Amino acid sequence: MSADGTIQVRSLRKSFGHKTVLQNIDLDVASGEVCCIIGPSGSGKSTLLRCINGLETADSGVLKVNGEDFGYYETDHAYHALSRKKLALQRTRVGMVFQQFNLFPNMTAQENVMSGPVLVKGQDKKKAAARADELLASVGLDGHGFKYPAQLSGGQQQRVAIARSLAMDPEIMLFDEPTSALDPEKVGEVLAVMKDLAKKGMTMVVVTHEMGFAREVSDSLLFMDEGFVVERGDAREVLGNPQEARTRSFLEKVL
Amino acid sequence: MGSLDATLKPRLRVRTPSEYAGWILSILIGIGILTSVLTNPNFKWGIVGKYFFAESILRGLMLTIFLTIASMVMGTLLGLALAIMRSSHVKPVSIAANIYINLFRGTPVLVQLIFWFNVSALYPNLMIGIPFTDIGTAVDVNTLMGPITAALVGLTLNEAAYMAEIIRGGFSAVGKGQIEAADSLGMSAGMRMRKVIIPQAMPSIIPATGNQVIGMFKGTSLVSVLGVAELLQSAQLIYARTFETIPLLIVASLWYLVMTLLLSYPQSKLEKRYSRATSTLPRKAKKVVLIEQEEGSLR
């Protein structure tokens, strides 16, 4: 069976200076699974997500993405960092969507979506442009390709950002609080695109405060606090019947 | 009177006495200076006119323009390299750039210029060749470091330090999220620099560079101490002969003024264009034509 679209994490640890932000994290995401990570701010959920894309480097532990050790290769006694080129190649297979969208303001929506395929993969520009238009249409932004990010609303920008990640044909999509920076009325349009993506069988890891989305779309759910995974399991079960006191008190506050 | 249809009457502003005083005082001082400048025969305006388009003055002006352009271009390129080094995560590289920048910004340009002119006292011979072999040839630094070369070296190295700080400031104005977005798409460091960071840093770099050009244009007058016949030195050469010091200094000053004013017009345009209060970058309106889009910024 192909390991594409899977994530395996064992005993992942990460600290910033004296502060340990990830303590012995284990995580398994199967191909096509949607996994939501919830928890209070500072719980390490964003850091965990950023490790899976190489924006942060874990101090120790195993991290396999698409079946390969991510960012490192293993020898008998150590993990050796991959060259930037090889790391970049692994990154192209994991899409990342940021809280602040991070679209390139010097490029149009279409150019943003084309940027990965053209600049990184060296794809033909005409083909990439046509594909970008398709992707923009698929996130409901048909005809917006010529606009610059500053001319788009937050919800539209986030959908362009999703299209930009999808243009690389990743096996896994990571979402770091994708709706937290949006006006409340724009949240729905982004979640709709994400639901659509989940339906198509994309492996997704979503750090979110949208409990409704977690309940409706997510397969598994992780509740993190102070660098630990406090509770994990089927999304609806955890949300409906949390076993841990800490989970219960968090859910009482946010629901 | 007292009606409600007074909307068409102009609303008049109150002029305070200090405002009138300001008017009168400024005009009086202006007239005073003007009459003095025009009636004092020692200004010798005739001589100013006579030398304004003199061949040696124009040749000096050309050299000044050349020095400005050459040292700005080389200084900017070197400054870009220094800025990239300065933001390197390899500590010794970033420290080296930092030392360079502080050294050259912390000493007067005039001293630096004289230093480079006399550098042959430190290194009389320059070996050009492959290290640890016999292949190569010695160059006499004294002949190599003529006045114009010393001027170019001095101005360039000094300008590079200032441009490095300007460019680095532009780089750091580009958000961390932009770098992360480029990384997460798998861009290489060079591509990230060329396609993401530099285009976004330009709006803050370009106006500041315009200011540097204007400063450099006037700053080149310092190289007159090396005997380079740029604008100021050309004027000095004439008045050393004719003793018409003030008129020739006026000639040089007028040329500096004219050129600076000419440069400050595009400069203020650039500043306005790049300081628009949005995160949008300046650009010409693009038409929604596929051909246009193909020629877009992804080149």
Side-chain angles (χ1 to χ4, degrees):
Chain A
M1 202 187 113
S2 161
D4 285 355
T6 66
I7 303 168
Q8 286 143 324
V9 181
R10 291 291 176 276
S11 318
L12 204 71
R13 280 173 170 278
K14 165 89 185 162
S15 48
F16 293 114
H18 293 297
K19 198 180 179 321
T20 308
V21 283
L22 295 180
Q23 325 225 26
N24 281 327
I25 304 288
D26 291 352
L27 171 71
D28 279 285
V29 181
S31 181
E33 182 178 332
V34 178
C35 173
C36 279
I37 306 177
I38 61 169
S41 37
S43 61
K45 51 194 194 313
S46 281
T47 309
L48 174 60
L49 196 75
R50 290 161 61 85
C51 283
I52 302 173
N53 183 265
L55 289 173
E56 304 285 356
T57 314
D59 299 332
S60 66
V62 178
L63 169 61
K64 282 184 191 287
V65 178
N66 292 316
E68 299 171 3
D69 280 313
F70 192 87
Y72 288 80
Y73 64 92
E74 194 181 0
T75 61
D76 284 344
H77 21 258
Y79 282 100
H80 303 267
L82 287 179
S83 68
R84 253 200 87 98
K85 221 174 172 180
K86 282 186 182 151
L87 173 65
L89 198 69
Q90 287 188 332
R91 280 175 152 174
T92 59
R93 302 179 62 189
V94 186
M96 179 85 176
V97 175
F98 300 91
Q99 184 179 353
Q100 300 294 341
F101 332 133
N102 295 348
L103 290 178
F104 304 128
N106 51 322
M107 301 181 193
T108 63
Q110 189 200 39
E111 286 166 346
N112 263 286
V113 179
M114 288 164 66
S115 62
V118 172
L119 298 174
V120 179
K121 289 189 171 171
Q123 243 178 45
D124 174 62
K125 255 183 232 168
K126 241 181 216 164
K127 256 189 219 158
R131 176 84 205 289
D133 288 341
E134 263 170 46
L135 282 167
L136 284 172
S138 79
V139 297
L141 289 171
D142 205 0
H144 287 72
F146 66 96
K147 288 185 187 166
Y148 282 87
Q151 297 165 310
L152 297 169
S153 75
Q156 290 171 326
Q157 287 189 56
Q158 192 60 297
R159 286 184 282 154
V160 174
I162 293 172
R164 178 176 67 177
S165 287
L166 289 175
M168 297 298 280
D169 297 315
E171 280 99 350
I172 299 168
M173 286 284 282
L174 309 175
F175 295 83
D176 190 1
E177 303 195 22
T179 56
S180 298
L182 296 178
D183 286 343
E185 56 172 333
K186 308 282 184 193
V187 170
E189 60 192 51
V190 172
L191 292 181
V193 168
M194 290 167 63
K195 272 178 215 169
D196 193 39
L197 209 53
K199 246 183 250 161
K200 285 177 187 158
M202 175 68 76
T203 307
M204 293 162 64
V205 182
V206 186
V207 169
T208 188
H209 294 300
E210 292 294 327
M211 297 305 152
F213 176 83
R215 182 176 292 124
E216 195 183 331
V217 183
S218 193
D219 299 307
S220 57
L221 189 110
L222 222 62
F223 173 67
M224 286 181 70
D225 190 25
E226 293 182 345
F228 288 98
V229 175
V230 176
E231 191 164 352
R232 74 175 78 224
D234 178 82
R236 277 152 293 273
E237 236 160 68
V238 175
L239 289 173
N241 184 21
Q243 300 299 309
E244 301 287 332
R246 181 70 187 92
T247 318
R248 228 171 293 141
S249 77
F250 175 78
L251 289 175
E252 268 165 23
K253 277 175 205 140
V254 295
L255 287 177
Chain B
M1 275 297 159
S3 65
L4 285 171
D5 61 349
T7 45
L8 290 178
K9 289 180 189 164
R11 287 183 176 254
L12 298 178
R13 207 160 55 83
V14 177
R15 281 213 171 88
T16 59
S18 62
E19 206 170 326
Y20 287 110
W23 270 88
I24 292 164
L25 214 62
S26 311
I27 290 171
L28 282 179
I29 292 173
I31 290 172
I33 292 175
L34 210 62
T35 45
S36 157
V37 167
L38 291 178
T39 56
N40 184 340
N42 294 335
F43 275 99
K44 298 190 182 143
W45 289 104
I47 290 166
V48 171
K50 181 180 148 200
Y51 283 111
F52 196 69
F53 292 108
E55 205 202 330
S56 67
I57 292 286
L58 291 182
R59 235 184 292 128
L61 178 67
M62 284 302 143
L63 187 56
T64 290
I65 293 172
F66 164 76
L67 284 172
T68 307
I69 294 172
S71 47
M72 272 315 295
V73 169
M74 294 191 293
T76 305
L77 292 176
L78 187 59
L80 177 64
L82 282 166
I84 293 172
M85 285 171 67
R86 184 77 181 80
S87 34
S88 165
H89 62 270
V90 185
K91 267 271 137 61
V93 172
S94 129
I95 291 171
N98 197 18
I99 290 174
Y100 178 101
I101 290 166
N102 281 308
L103 197 65
F104 281 85
R105 291 205 313 167
T107 50
V109 205
L110 184 54
V111 176
Q112 288 173 32
L113 286 166
I114 300 170
F115 175 87
W116 290 114
F117 190 49
N118 294 295
V119 77
S120 64
L122 272 180
Y123 299 100
N125 290 302
L126 185 68
M127 284 294 294
I128 297 173
I130 303 159
F132 311 116
T133 64
D134 288 338
I135 307 163
T137 145
V139 181
D140 179 18
V141 173
N142 208 11
T143 45
L144 184 75
M145 212 36 112
I148 292 189
T149 319
L152 275 177
V153 169
L155 292 175
T156 298
L157 295 184
N158 184 260
E159 187 58 30
Y162 284 90
M163 284 308 298
E165 283 297 275
I166 289 171
I167 294 170
R168 191 174 70 97
F171 285 177
S172 56
V174 179
K176 197 167 150 255
Q178 291 292 312
I179 292 164
E180 291 185 346
D183 281 347
S184 74
L185 287 173
M187 283 194 197
S188 66
M191 184 159 296
R192 187 180 69 189
M193 182 57 87
R194 277 182 290 123
K195 299 293 181 179
V196 177
I197 300 179
I198 290 182
Q200 292 184 57
M202 277 327 216
S204 64
I205 292 175
I206 288 179
T209 308
N211 269 329
Q212 290 297 110
V213 174
I214 291 173
M216 175 62 88
F217 188 79
K218 293 177 290 177
T220 52
S221 61
L222 287 172
V223 308
S224 62
V225 297
L226 307 183
V228 174
E230 43 68 69
L231 183 52
L232 178 61
Q233 175 74 1
S234 305
Q236 285 174 331
L237 285 175
I238 297 172
Y239 71 63
R241 211 173 55 233
T242 65
F243 299 107
E244 290 153 338
T245 311
I246 295 294
L248 277 144
L249 285 179
I250 292 174
V251 168
S253 301
L254 282 176
W255 273 119
Y256 283 119
L257 194 62
V258 166
M259 293 302 293
T260 311
L261 289 176
L262 283 180
L263 283 171
S264 54
Y265 177 70
Q267 159 68 11
S268 67
K269 282 265 170 195
L270 278 176
E271 221 153 78
K272 253 190 219 125
R273 181 174 157 172
Y274 282 113
S275 68
R276 277 180 205 152
T278 48
S279 62
T280 53
L281 290 181
R283 60 194 157 242
K284 285 173 192 158
K286 280 196 182 179
K287 283 180 191 160
V288 202
V289 196
L290 199 74
I291 305 154
E292 279 272 311
Q293 288 169 0
E294 279 169 24
E295 295 167 353
S297 73
L298 285 173
R299 251 171 304 204

